[in-house]
Amino acid sequence: MGNKAVTFGEIMLRLNPEGYLRFLQANTYEATFGGGEANVAVSLANYGVGVSFVTKLPKHEIGQAAVNELRRYGVDTSDIVRGGDRVGIYFAEKGASQRPSKVIYDRAYSAISLAKRDEFDWDKIFDGAKWFHFTGITPALGGELPEICLDAVKAAHAKGVTVSCDLNYRKKLWTRAEARECMSKIVPYVDVCISNEEDAKDVFGIEAENTDIDSGKLNHEGYISVARQLHERFGCSHVAITLRSSISANDNDWAGMLYTGDNAYFSKQYHMHIVDRVGGGDSFGGGLIYSLMNGYEPQKAIDFAVAASCLKHSIEHDFNLCSVAEVESLAGGNASGRVQR
């Protein structure tokens, strides 16, 4: 087994108005690329991990632009299937103060959503791989993707590849019942389950006790109980939960917990002033995967993941463009934001 990571999902064209303009005001849009598993792949590449991103993209220039963007950051694109007509699109409007951010998807009939099981040779894709990551967004895209994801986790499991999944429930893509039926078949093959307080409830009906996410109050014992239930129901060796308290669209408190079946490890809490929160959870996943791939102790692993994600909230667009040294500096307590000279 090598030291390569593989991620699988949809990369989309992201269109956002400049600054804090609303959709209804915008005459021009910035065009970038992003998507859960692609964001994780770029994080890992920035940390020096060999990482391959798997998807299906059209052969035309917009599909090629997405491939080029991944290559720019050192992601291996050799296992991307080419075909289909559409690159999925999402529009992102940045919130401010009490106005929340808003996302509108235009991704129906995208190339990956119409992909076929026989287009992916998972045995070959996982050659030399140590880690496989995907999110609950990928099977939610429908078509054959629930079966393709199940094929992938079974193949990874058979080859001894560690599997991580961010539950990432998206109500605009499928119902809670559909998510529960599908993910209940997939998660037994998952070693590292990443969730937040809402996803565990939406997908599996697992709730943190004495916690109200809208009031911003967090209850540590409640999260330990959520993680324990995921661990006991599905056998995940690690359960990571992100803890976000939203004060406004611009200001959030951010922390995380890693549960190992024996103990729960909590990071410190960061008070963040947000530049762009899209991709925040993915940057947490990327940091956690990097730290666990490198054998970090659980406390150090959750500290690294939360610090990585905290930094991402200060970066425009989807990708977390931070180095290991920058993350370790913040995790080690250098949080002043003073100029580095």
Side-chain angles (χ1 to χ4, degrees):
M1 199 189 315
N3 204 33
K4 183 178 89 168
V6 176
T7 76
F8 173 59
E10 178 167 34
I11 185 168
M12 291 176 286
L13 177 66
R14 168 178 167 165
L15 298 175
N16 58 266
E18 295 176 350
Y20 290 93
L21 290 178
R22 304 213 69 185
F23 292 136
L24 296 172
Q25 296 173 289
N27 297 313
T28 59
Y29 284 80
E30 290 183 302
T32 54
F33 289 95
E37 300 86 356
N39 299 344
V40 170
V42 170
S43 272
L44 291 171
N46 279 324
Y47 300 147
V49 175
V51 57
S52 172
F53 176 66
V54 182
T55 192
K56 183 175 181 179
L57 283 167
K59 291 180 180 176
H60 57 50
E61 289 86 348
I62 306 302
Q64 189 58 43
V67 171
N68 292 353
E69 185 71 358
L70 291 161
R71 286 178 176 163
R72 174 184 175 192
Y73 294 108
V75 175
D76 180 354
T77 59
S78 59
D79 288 317
I80 292 178
V81 177
R82 302 304 292 272
D85 299 316
R86 289 205 67 201
V87 176
I89 298 170
Y90 84 95
F91 298 86
E93 178 185 278
K94 192 178 294 187
S97 194
Q98 279 69 37
R99 174 172 61 83
S101 296
K102 184 174 283 191
V103 167
I104 296 174
Y105 291 119
D106 179 16
R107 66 201 297 185
Y109 308 109
S110 64
I112 185 65
S113 73
L114 300 175
K116 302 297 179 190
R117 289 173 78 176
D118 61 10
E119 292 179 303
F120 302 95
D121 183 349
W122 293 110
D123 202 47
K124 176 176 168 289
I125 289 166
F126 290 137
D127 258 0
K130 181 177 182 177
W131 200 285
F132 173 57
H133 177 76
F134 70 108
T135 77
I137 296 170
T138 302
L141 296 173
E144 295 187 15
L145 282 167
E147 291 81 14
I148 293 169
C149 288
L150 193 55
D151 291 343
V153 294
K154 285 180 176 177
H157 196 71
K159 287 182 90 93
V161 175
T162 301
V163 177
S164 60
C165 175
D166 188 333
L167 292 180
N168 255 348
Y169 176 69
R170 294 290 184 267
K171 65 175 182 268
K172 292 182 179 179
L173 294 176
W174 58 357
T175 66
R176 289 184 177 92
E178 288 170 330
R180 184 171 304 186
E181 184 186 359
C182 177
M183 298 306 287
S184 293
K185 295 173 188 166
I186 290 173
V187 177
Y189 295 95
V190 170
D191 302 291
V192 179
C193 182
I194 302 167
S195 183
N196 65 26
E197 61 269 34
E198 294 161 273
D199 293 334
K201 179 180 177 183
D202 285 332
V203 179
F204 296 121
I206 293 172
E207 285 193 66
E209 296 143 10
N210 305 320
T211 302
D212 176 4
I213 58 160
D214 296 318
S215 75
K217 291 179 184 153
L218 298 176
N219 174 274
H220 280 198
E221 288 305 316
Y223 292 116
I224 294 170
S225 105
V226 166
R228 188 184 296 117
Q229 289 175 72
L230 284 166
H231 167 73
E232 288 173 356
R233 192 183 300 186
F234 299 111
C236 309
S237 63
H238 293 71
V239 179
I241 294 183
T242 54
L243 313 175
R244 184 192 296 274
S245 301
S246 189
I247 297 148
S248 71
N250 297 93
D251 293 280
N252 287 183
D253 288 331
W254 183 248
M257 182 197 79
L258 182 61
Y259 180 80
T260 60
D262 304 314
N263 287 299
Y265 301 85
F266 286 85
S267 75
K268 65 184 169 192
Q269 186 177 74
Y270 294 95
H271 179 75
M272 305 183 301
H273 187 72
I274 295 171
V275 170
D276 191 336
R277 67 165 280 180
V278 179
D282 305 321
S283 60
F284 174 86
L288 186 69
I289 293 165
Y290 171 80
S291 54
L292 293 177
M293 282 183 81
N294 282 280
Y296 284 20
E297 294 299 313
Q299 187 64 57
K300 188 180 178 188
I302 191 65
D303 288 342
F304 186 93
V306 173
S309 185
C310 178
L311 287 172
K312 162 63 193 84
H313 285 76
S314 73
I315 298 170
E316 293 274 13
H317 305 135
D318 272 58
F319 297 155
N320 190 20
L321 306 177
C322 290
S323 67
V324 170
E326 287 173 320
V327 177
E328 289 188 332
S329 174
L330 177 57
N334 186 358
S336 68
R338 292 172 69 91
V339 176
Q340 304 288 304
R341 289 193 169 104

